[in-house]
Amino acid sequence: VHIESGYTAHHTHSTRAFEILEEKNQDLGNSIEEYHPSGSLGWKTWGAWLDCSKLCDGGKKTRHRVCLEAKGISGTCHGPFQETRNCNEQKCPEPHEVCAEENYWVDWSRTLAGQSTVSRCPTNATGFIARRCLMDESGNTAWEDPSFAYCISNEYRKLQVDILEHLSKGHRILAGEGMSRVTTDLLDLSLKRQVYSGDLLASVEILSNITQTFIRASYNPSSEDIQNFVQIVSNLLSEENKEKWVDLQKVRVLV
């Protein structure tokens, strides 16, 4: 009887222990569901591709993903955690196929033959300078002269801003009078030597806006306005600006 009672007591305690363990497991399962709702376990989204291991001649790049599993449970995720693919398979250029670094007006970085690079304009202008690396028939590379077609002096940029301010005026007469002042200011600038070829383009744009404003505002320009306009065009076409106009011919090539 003593042994049976002992066994019965032991069996009763063991059964209760298993019940408690099952309750704990159930609680654990519930807590997992709370932190990881149904469908959130498993592979997460692939991360971004890392940089290629080489710039040319074929390299490798990889991306990774994370597996989210419940504590104590494995085998949720199947498949690789990393992917690899080839990149930058183009042939590396030979030394003679590249224009070396150079400081001419500004610093120019190494550039492949046939390609263009850009750099900021000097502090007295906005925009950028463009330059191409050329290769001759013998396979030798050389830098082309920089193009300043995209550089506009700060004085010309200010005139462009002034035009916008005058155009914003609701009264047509005020807009027309504002354009008369812009014409006078542009004449003064055109009498000076244009620093960059981009100044010529800015001048043409300003003249175009002045003309359109006079038309839309039904404003009759004075004889002085007309005389200033003609003189500006004459100044822009002067011989000293010839090289700048030639520089502007590179715009389509460099874009």
Side-chain angles (χ1 to χ4, degrees):
V1 176
H2 178 72
I3 293 176
E4 289 180 354
S5 299
Y7 172 77
T8 301
H10 176 73
H11 176 71
T12 302
H13 292 160
S14 298
T15 301
R16 181 54 184 159
F18 280 117
E19 290 175 354
I20 295 174
L21 180 59
E22 288 178 359
E23 292 175 0
K24 293 295 184 183
N25 288 337
Q26 184 63 40
D27 292 340
L28 176 61
N30 291 336
S31 64
I32 291 175
E33 289 299 324
E34 290 175 4
Y35 289 104
H36 307 291
S38 177
S40 67
L41 298 179
W43 288 117
K44 301 290 99 180
T45 304
W46 283 102
W49 288 100
L50 300 179
D51 292 339
C52 191
S53 60
K54 298 175 67 176
L55 296 177
C56 50
D57 277 350
K60 300 287 185 183
K61 62 180 180 180
T62 59
R63 65 176 183 174
H64 303 86
R65 59 180 176 173
V66 175
C67 176
L68 187 61
E69 294 181 324
K71 185 177 180 180
I73 301 176
S74 60
T76 304
C77 303
H78 302 281
F81 76 95
Q82 173 180 296
E83 280 188 344
T84 303
R85 66 168 51 172
N86 297 330
C87 53
N88 293 343
E89 297 179 329
Q90 73 277 11
K91 179 180 176 294
C92 286
E94 300 295 333
H96 68 275
E97 298 176 329
V98 178
C99 287
E101 293 181 357
E102 184 178 82
N103 182 278
Y104 181 62
W105 282 81
V106 293
D107 292 329
W108 299 97
S109 58
R110 296 175 70 252
T111 302
L112 186 64
Q115 295 186 359
S116 301
T117 185
V118 296
S119 186
R120 288 184 179 181
C121 297
T123 56
N124 65 341
T126 59
F128 61 89
I129 314 170
R131 200 178 189 192
R132 293 185 69 208
C133 175
L134 304 178
M135 178 181 288
D136 59 23
E137 296 179 354
S138 302
N140 299 314
T141 56
W143 281 109
E144 187 179 42
D145 288 337
S147 173
F148 293 88
Y150 300 98
C151 282
I152 301 178
S153 298
N154 296 332
E155 293 172 304
Y156 286 86
R157 181 66 73 188
K158 181 181 182 302
L159 273 186
Q160 290 178 321
V161 174
D162 289 344
I163 284 181
L164 295 178
E165 292 180 354
H166 292 307
L167 290 177
S168 66
K169 296 177 180 177
H171 199 287
R172 293 182 175 183
I173 299 299
L174 292 179
E177 292 176 348
M179 289 302 149
S180 293
R181 288 194 291 273
V182 170
T183 303
T184 301
D185 293 339
L186 182 58
L187 175 61
D188 293 338
L189 283 179
S190 68
L191 292 172
K192 303 176 183 178
R193 179 176 178 273
Q194 281 75 28
V195 181
Y196 306 110
S197 51
D199 295 339
L200 297 180
L201 281 182
S203 299
V204 172
E205 179 184 341
I206 292 170
L207 290 176
S208 176
N209 286 330
I210 290 173
T211 302
Q212 293 300 319
T213 302
F214 281 157
I215 294 174
R216 290 196 301 268
S218 299
Y219 180 83
N220 293 322
S222 65
S223 58
E224 183 181 357
D225 291 334
I226 297 174
Q227 183 178 352
N228 290 344
F229 193 100
V230 173
Q231 187 60 53
I232 291 171
V233 174
S234 176
N235 294 342
L236 296 179
L237 296 177
S238 64
E239 182 66 24
E240 67 176 9
N241 288 328
K242 181 178 180 179
E243 290 186 3
K244 293 182 178 65
W245 286 112
V246 172
D247 181 36
L248 292 174
Q249 301 300 314
K250 304 176 186 177
V251 170
R252 290 185 179 181
V253 178
L254 290 168
V255 171

